[in-house]
Amino acid sequence: MVACALGASVADAAEIAWGSESTALRGQGWPLLWVQSDVGATAVLTLQCAGLSWNRTLTLVGGRRATVELVGVPEGITTCEGALAVEASDGMSGGIDVRIDVASLGIITLTSSLERFDFDAGTLTVSASRGLSLASARVEGPGGVPTVEVDADLSRPSEPLFRWGASFGEVVKVVVTARDAAGFVSTLELLPWFLEIPHEDVIFPSGSDVIPATEVGKLEAAWGAVAAAVQKYGRQVPVKLYVAGYTDTVGAASTNQSLSDRRARALAQWFRSRGFGGELYYQGFGERALAVPTGDEVDEAANRRALYVLAADRPPTSPSMPATAWKRL
């Protein structure tokens, strides 16, 4: 905000001031200029901002502000220039040149993704919809321990870089807070945690998606690890389960794709019936992501597998999960 006395000739007889509320969030208002006198007066404002003009005559009532909204100023920070002349009820008058910077800005949009984390180095890059003057991040480990606050490297003001270092350990949650030059603030919560559950793969009958009773013990062992992870992380982040299915190269690729999808769904349904209460997704990859590269029509047991991944958000694409067409159970 800017506030100034108007001029000696009027101020000798009356207290007259002007100022501005120079920042506004687009869609929620406009910057404005105000004038106030402790006695009755008439004010004439002429102002130009980015090709727009305002010519207003204001009737001032003692002790009350009269305002002019700068409706239509373009998005961004704009310099407005003009003049303000006031004549008080006792006949005294005065004037002053007006120059103010006003900001009409949208909400700061912050975006990032798991691909922009470097967990080995302990860094994160975020994109902002405009340049920032300040940015910080709160980085949390499991259960909030450890927690560290780091300031951003703003060498690129719209691409803040956060460094907390490789020695931090497992990162579960990152909360970014950013401020621009106009004082607007925005936050972004990122949940980079994910965990692949080690397990022994279920052996399905050829061409079938029915889990044999003799294989349930393998799923029970995996369920123990899933339940332990939910207990450890579930109070801090939403724990979601992603089940991926794969086949070898025996048979048509389209048939294998469908079979892997059905088997992944069957496994996901088992975890749901066993008691997993979070969001549950499945996806078949067929023979697109072979654990052991082979030619066509090769019966390779290592390729008939599944992955069970717990995550707070959709897991990133990778050689083993090259697509994101997850289906919610």
Side-chain angles (χ1 to χ4, degrees), residues 245-247 256-264 283-286:
Y246 307 83
T247 69
N256 285 334
Q257 175 60 45
S258 175
L259 180 60
S260 69
D261 204 57
R262 298 197 311 274
R263 286 177 172 174
Q283 183 177 185
F285 293 96

Side-chain angles (χ1 to χ4, degrees), residues 3-216:
C4 302
L6 181 63
S9 59
V10 178
D12 289 343
E15 291 187 8
I16 298 175
W18 71 277
S20 67
E21 295 180 7
S22 57
T23 61
L25 191 63
R26 291 187 74 81
Q28 298 185 18
W30 298 97
L32 60 83
L33 187 141
W34 56 265
V35 184
Q36 181 174 324
S37 172
D38 66 343
V39 298
T42 299
V44 177
L45 172 69
T46 60
L47 197 66
Q48 291 189 333
C49 306
L52 300 174
S53 297
W54 287 265
N55 296 281
R56 299 285 190 274
T57 299
L58 308 173
T59 300
L60 305 181
V61 177
R64 298 183 184 177
R65 287 183 177 181
T67 62
V68 176
E69 277 194 316
L70 306 182
V71 177
V73 293
E75 184 169 357
I77 299 176
T78 304
T79 298
C80 300
E81 296 181 290
L84 178 65
V86 176
E87 184 172 340
S89 55
D90 60 4
M92 299 295 290
S93 63
I96 192 171
D97 292 333
V98 173
R99 180 184 172 91
I100 53 173
D101 289 331
V102 299
S104 179
L105 300 169
I107 294 171
I108 304 169
T109 301
L110 302 174
T111 57
S112 193
S113 65
L114 283 173
E115 287 76 14
R116 304 193 79 184
F117 279 89
D118 185 333
F119 294 104
D120 292 334
T123 67
L124 165 67
T125 303
V126 172
S127 293
S129 56
R130 59 179 174 269
L132 304 175
S133 58
L134 293 170
S136 63
R138 186 177 77 250
V139 185
E140 299 180 9
V145 180
T147 297
V148 65
E149 296 274 352
V150 293
D151 291 328
D153 176 348
L154 290 175
S155 301
R156 300 170 64 189
S158 61
E159 295 281 326
L161 171 64
F162 301 94
R163 298 185 179 94
W164 55 88
S167 62
F168 181 87
E170 185 180 17
V171 177
V172 177
K173 180 189 292 187
V174 178
V175 181
V176 175
T177 302
R179 181 188 300 271
D180 67 6
F184 290 111
V185 175
S186 187
T187 61
L188 173 67
E189 182 178 82
L190 297 166
L191 305 175
W193 170 80
F194 64 94
L195 176 68
E196 185 175 329
I197 298 297
H199 64 279
E200 188 178 358
D201 283 312
V202 169
I203 304 301
F204 288 88
S206 178
S208 172
D209 58 20
V210 177
I211 299 171
T214 55
E215 298 293 297
V216 170

Side-chain angles (χ1 to χ4, degrees), residues 258-297:
S258 175
L259 180 60
S260 69
D261 204 57
R262 298 197 311 274
R263 286 177 172 174
R265 189 175 192 275
L267 294 169
Q269 287 176 321
W270 187 91
F271 282 108
R272 174 66 81 215
S273 66
R274 186 61 179 83
F276 185 80
E279 293 181 20
L280 214 163
Y281 299 85
Y282 67 95
Q283 183 177 185
F285 293 96
E287 53 186 77
R288 288 182 292 164
L290 299 175
V292 178
T294 70
D296 198 21
E297 299 296 329

